[in-house]
Amino acid sequence: MKNYTIRTEQPCDFRAIENLTREAFWNVYRPGCTEHYVLHCYRNNPDFVPELSLILEVEGEIVGHVMYAWSHIDADDGRKIRMMTFGPISIRPDFKRKGYGKILLDHSMELAKKMGAGCLLIVGNIDFYGKSGFVPALTKGIRYADDPEATYFLCKELDDGFLGGITGSYHDPEGYFVAEQNPEAFERFDADFPPKEKLKLPGQLF
């Protein structure tokens, strides 16, 4: 593994990171992708955590990025339990499956813990996220509102016992649906990037 550095993104990095995100997610979950637009719009969202919008560089080149946002659990006792979610987490295609994603994730989670995030909730692949300590959220008493029996809805307690005695449900934050809510704005945004072919591939979710 090559030497790497991790740092907070700066405004001069925004376009390069958005392009990296687009490259990382293109045709993965759907024909094309929307993750770069989600990132672009989230920077103006009050729940965005700028200190946790992190870049991984190898030999001066940006090869990875992750963003975090504050969110909450709707507890069954009526409370709103503040916590964080993250994503997109992007690794340049030619650097995938080399361990950089886990390095970036583990580093960012340490910082999130220091910022007061008691737990993280995400939708993701347990084969990857399990290596960093994530478990199905159902085992912690938290349901995914869109699919209450989902085993792909994952949780990691950054503070042991943070979810003790808490049951509830979690909705994906509205900030993740900006492309669906304003498709014309998304299309204009995406048109400013290099042309890429949208393909319908096996295994896509949408």
Side-chain angles (χ1 to χ4, degrees), residues 45-123:
N45 188 310
D47 291 326
F48 179 70
V49 186
E51 299 92 338
L52 295 178
S53 191
L54 299 172
I55 290 170
L56 187 148
E57 290 181 318
V58 174
E59 297 178 351
E61 293 188 31
I62 297 174
V63 303
H65 174 261
V66 65
M67 65 149 273
Y68 279 68
W70 286 105
S71 189
H72 68 272
I73 298 164
D74 291 307
D76 292 333
D77 63 9
R79 290 180 294 162
K80 291 188 180 296
I81 309 298
R82 196 169 188 241
M83 36 63 66
M84 284 188 188
T85 188
F86 65 83
I89 179 169
S90 308
I91 299 295
R92 205 171 79 184
D94 55 329
F95 277 80
K96 288 184 176 180
R97 297 175 182 84
K98 297 181 179 180
Y100 291 106
K102 185 176 187 301
I103 287 170
L104 179 58
L105 175 59
D106 289 350
H107 178 85
S108 67
M109 289 194 301
E110 284 296 320
L111 297 181
K113 179 178 180 178
K114 292 177 182 177
M115 293 187 68
C119 78
L120 302 172
L121 291 169
I122 60 159
V123 171

Side-chain angles (χ1 to χ4, degrees), residues 153-198:
F153 176 53
L154 307 178
C155 175
K156 180 177 173 68
E157 285 185 302
L158 299 179
D159 290 336
D160 290 339
F162 178 79
L163 292 172
I166 296 171
T167 61
S169 65
Y170 176 83
H171 293 262
D172 290 313
E174 283 294 306
Y176 284 98
F177 301 104
V178 288
E180 292 85 353
Q181 291 165 351
N182 197 338
E184 295 83 7
F186 164 66
E187 292 297 338
R188 289 194 300 270
F189 175 78
D190 188 59
D192 283 338
F193 289 82
K196 292 176 71 70
E197 186 179 3
K198 295 182 179 181

Side-chain angles (χ1 to χ4, degrees), residues 10-70:
Q10 302 300 316
C12 61
D13 302 312
F14 288 176
R15 190 66 170 183
I17 295 168
E18 289 162 5
N19 192 61
L20 164 73
T21 303
R22 186 173 183 256
E23 292 290 327
F25 284 93
W26 194 261
N27 291 337
V28 174
Y29 296 116
R30 70 184 78 215
C33 71
T34 62
E35 283 81 359
H36 54 312
Y37 187 59
V38 170
L39 169 62
H40 176 77
C41 294
Y42 237 118
R43 292 194 184 101
N44 294 317
N45 188 310
D47 291 326
F48 179 70
V49 186
E51 299 92 338
L52 295 178
S53 191
L54 299 172
I55 290 170
L56 187 148
E57 290 181 318
V58 174
E59 297 178 351
E61 293 188 31
I62 297 174
V63 303
H65 174 261
V66 65
M67 65 149 273
Y68 279 68
W70 286 105

